[in-house]
Each structure stands twice: as C-alpha cells, then as structure tokens.
Amino acid sequence: MPRIVPGQALQVCFNALIDYELEAIAQECNENEVYIALSGAGLIPSALVPKFRVQLKIVDRFGVHRGEVTILRVVPDSVKIVVAPPQKYITEQNREYFRIEYSVPLQITSGSGTYSKPIETISDDISAGGVLFSTYLELDENDEFDVAFDLALPGQRPNSFRFKARVIRVRKVSPERRLVAAQFLNVSERQREHMVKWVFEVQGTLPKPR
C-alpha cells in the first residue's frame, strides 16, 4: 500500500462534488493525519468542510493509486486541508507505468552494422517503463538497442538517461518507417522513481481531453 511522506506530489479529486482534480503536496504526515497544500485556490470548492469525502491519487512505480479520505479540518486562511490517511487504495495500473503522449528527443543506437552511430528521433509517448517512437531502423521484436534522452521540467536542469531497451512490438507505418514500442532495461530504482515523478508532473500540465 502506498505510504504518504512529506513533499510527496499527489492529486486531490473532487469527483463527488464536481469532476476535476487539484495538484497538491503532502506536508506534515503522521499515522493519523496528513496536511495537504492545494494548488489552484480559485477552483477549490467552497463546500469543503470537515467530514467531506475526497479521493487522493498517487502515482508511483507500481501504478496509479486512488484512496478515499475524509477531511478532518480545513486550515483557516490558507489553502490546506487535513485528512486521515486512506485505509485502502484501488490500483488502476498495477502492471504498467503511466504513459503520456509527449515528444522527447531520442538517440537510438542499434549496436552494430550500418546504424552503429546514434540516430535521432522523437518519442510518440513515453513512460517510466518504455517508449514508443517511429524510425527507419530495421528493428524487430526482441531486438535490443541503446536509447539516450534528457528529461526536464520548466526551470529545472535536465536529467540524462541512457538505457538498454528491448523491442516488444513493431508496426510498419510506411514502406520505410516503423512504429516501435520498446521496454527499458537495466533501470535503477532511483532512475525509475525520477521518471515516474517526471511523467506525473508533466501529465498535470497537459491539456485535458474534452
């Protein structure tokens, strides 16, 4: 079960009242209470009062977790609520990492032969577990290659990643190009956690589908 810690990014979902979510940060935490600072003060429902129930959404390397909580207190003159930690969570993506449609410049190296030099392309989507991209490289299922890319948020320095990757699906989109889905290999726990956090934060900046 996910454990909420100070500084953890999460979302507060007000689906029972109105269908939207607010970005939030966990602050003080103990076994009985969690102080949560909410963003978007103008969007916070005025009906928030003690005993009102909301959902917390947490994204980690195991997937997306939702847990229902009861508001214990609304901190006066601030955008903070105090809730009891969820007693249980529903995990929506237990076997896959959350994936977003996002363009990240990639360098692909197949390892030998004609394409031993890095080939540049752009991701169609990316997650902490893998990437989808199009290329003219003749990659087939189970082929392995090297992939390198940088991930950064506005105002922050980029973090560089380089992994082995294995092709899990290939689809020809034209006589010369293939759409390749690949799984990252040899990823450290720290790298995975950083990518999960990056995907979660970037996902919150993308336009929501209408």
Side-chain angles (χ1 to χ4, degrees):
M1 187 169 71
R3 179 171 174 264
I4 301 174
V5 297
Q8 183 172 9
L10 44 83
Q11 289 182 315
V12 179
C13 312
F14 300 97
N15 295 340
L17 179 66
I18 187 169
D19 189 17
Y20 65 75
E21 302 174 344
L22 289 181
E23 304 297 326
I25 296 290
Q27 296 187 327
E28 301 173 45
C29 306
N30 59 50
E31 60 181 14
N32 298 315
E33 296 182 339
V34 180
Y35 284 70
I36 297 174
L38 303 172
S39 66
L43 299 176
I44 296 174
S46 59
L48 278 187
V49 294
K51 297 185 179 180
F52 188 83
R53 297 186 69 80
V54 297
Q55 278 191 344
L56 298 187
K57 185 169 80 171
I58 299 171
V59 179
D60 63 16
R61 66 189 182 91
F62 297 107
V64 179
H65 312 277
R66 292 181 182 270
E68 193 173 75
V69 298
T70 299
I71 295 178
L72 302 177
R73 295 190 301 281
V74 177
V75 180
D77 302 322
S78 72
V79 192
K80 294 181 184 178
I81 58 175
V82 183
V83 303
Q87 296 300 307
K88 63 179 181 179
Y89 291 89
I90 296 175
T91 299
E92 298 175 344
Q93 298 186 20
N94 198 33
R95 292 185 294 180
E96 293 184 359
Y97 295 101
F98 193 80
R99 186 177 295 272
I100 56 172
E101 294 183 11
Y102 199 78
S103 297
V104 175
L106 307 172
Q107 287 193 327
I108 306 295
T109 308
S110 65
S112 62
T114 305
Y115 303 116
S116 58
K117 293 182 179 180
I119 302 298
E120 294 185 353
T121 187
I122 301 291
S123 68
D124 286 59
D125 65 41
I126 191 167
S127 75
V131 65
L132 180 73
F133 62 94
S134 62
T135 181
Y136 61 82
L137 293 174
E138 295 182 0
L139 294 170
D140 296 309
E141 288 187 14
N142 295 317
D143 283 353
E144 294 188 5
F145 60 91
D146 293 324
V147 58
F149 54 89
D150 293 338
L151 299 179
L153 292 168
Q156 297 183 14
R157 296 179 59 183
N159 286 275
S160 297
F161 297 88
R162 185 178 183 88
F163 303 125
K164 286 284 187 184
R166 179 182 295 119
V167 177
I168 56 176
R169 288 190 308 277
V170 178
R171 178 167 63 88
K172 283 192 175 182
V173 293
S174 75
E176 296 181 348
R177 297 194 72 81
R178 301 177 179 205
L179 191 64
V180 177
Q183 177 186 12
F184 297 141
L185 308 175
N186 70 303
V187 182
S188 71
E189 191 74 13
R190 183 175 181 180
Q191 289 172 321
R192 187 87 72 186
E193 289 177 358
H194 180 89
M195 287 192 292
V196 166
K197 182 178 179 181
W198 177 86
V199 168
F200 175 70
E201 294 187 5
V202 168
Q203 186 266 343
T205 69
L206 298 179
K208 293 187 181 295
R210 294 181 178 272

